Amino acid sequence: MTAPARTLVAGVGNIFLGDDGFGVEAARCLGERELPAGVEVADIGIRGVHLAYQLLDGYDTLVILDATARGGEPGTLYVIDAAEQDLAPAAPGALPLDGHRMSPDAVLALLDTLCAGTGAAPPRRTLVVGCEPATVEEGIGLSPPVTAAVPEAVDVVLDLVGDEAVV
């Protein structure tokens, strides 16, 4: 019998910047749910370098939960495939390394550099489940529309990881 695909769901963001904490809160809620075999949830917060190193352990799929400003109404959810968007890793050295301000593209760029140096393989698929923020000003707690989007985001991730588990 083949081992299930390994999937990492990573909640990223800064809980001290309002809706930027969406990914962390969604990961917390997702961690309370029953997950398919091979699916792990991690509260990464602002530790993007940690995420890049954790991915060296070998995952087939990465799902990033993050606040994602794309111009929609606050609380709007997006599912973004990194292969189809501008999340593809930049050339090594093109992005400054700041362990506390690493966007998904910076994490993927660092991961490519680490994989080249270690012989590890990056996830074959990277998805972002993003939520349009209302505010990312200093303050703890999500805005009402982003709070309301968290359960739906959890359901979206459960659908995605369920699909990935059978691939």
Side-chain angles (χ1 to χ4, degrees), residues 87-159:
L87 293 180
L95 297 167
L97 183 60
D98 177 351
H100 295 289
R101 293 188 167 269
M102 291 189 71
S103 60
D105 56 344
V107 170
L108 296 175
L110 175 59
L111 178 61
D112 271 2
T113 301
L114 293 173
C115 286
T118 63
R124 65 177 175 74
R125 186 163 190 214
T126 298
L127 302 168
V128 176
V129 175
C131 182
E132 186 75 40
T135 180
V136 290
E137 299 297 320
E138 285 186 19
I140 297 175
L142 303 177
S143 66
V146 172
T147 297
V150 169
E152 183 181 350
V154 168
D155 289 342
V156 167
V157 171
L158 289 172
D159 287 343

Side-chain angles (χ1 to χ4, degrees), residues 19-92:
D19 290 340
D20 194 50
F22 162 79
V24 172
E25 177 62 14
R28 184 192 67 75
C29 292
L30 186 61
E32 296 173 352
R33 303 286 292 271
E34 186 173 334
L35 301 171
V39 176
E40 300 170 37
V41 177
D43 171 357
I44 298 299
I46 59 172
R47 299 179 327 267
V49 172
H50 175 80
L51 173 58
Y53 276 99
Q54 184 169 350
L55 290 169
L56 293 176
D57 288 342
Y59 292 91
D60 300 292
T61 302
L62 168 64
V63 178
I64 299 173
L65 290 160
D66 196 9
T68 308
R70 295 175 69 91
E73 291 293 317
T76 301
L77 293 176
Y78 309 104
V79 177
I80 305 160
D81 189 328
E84 297 172 3
Q85 297 291 316
D86 194 18
L87 293 180

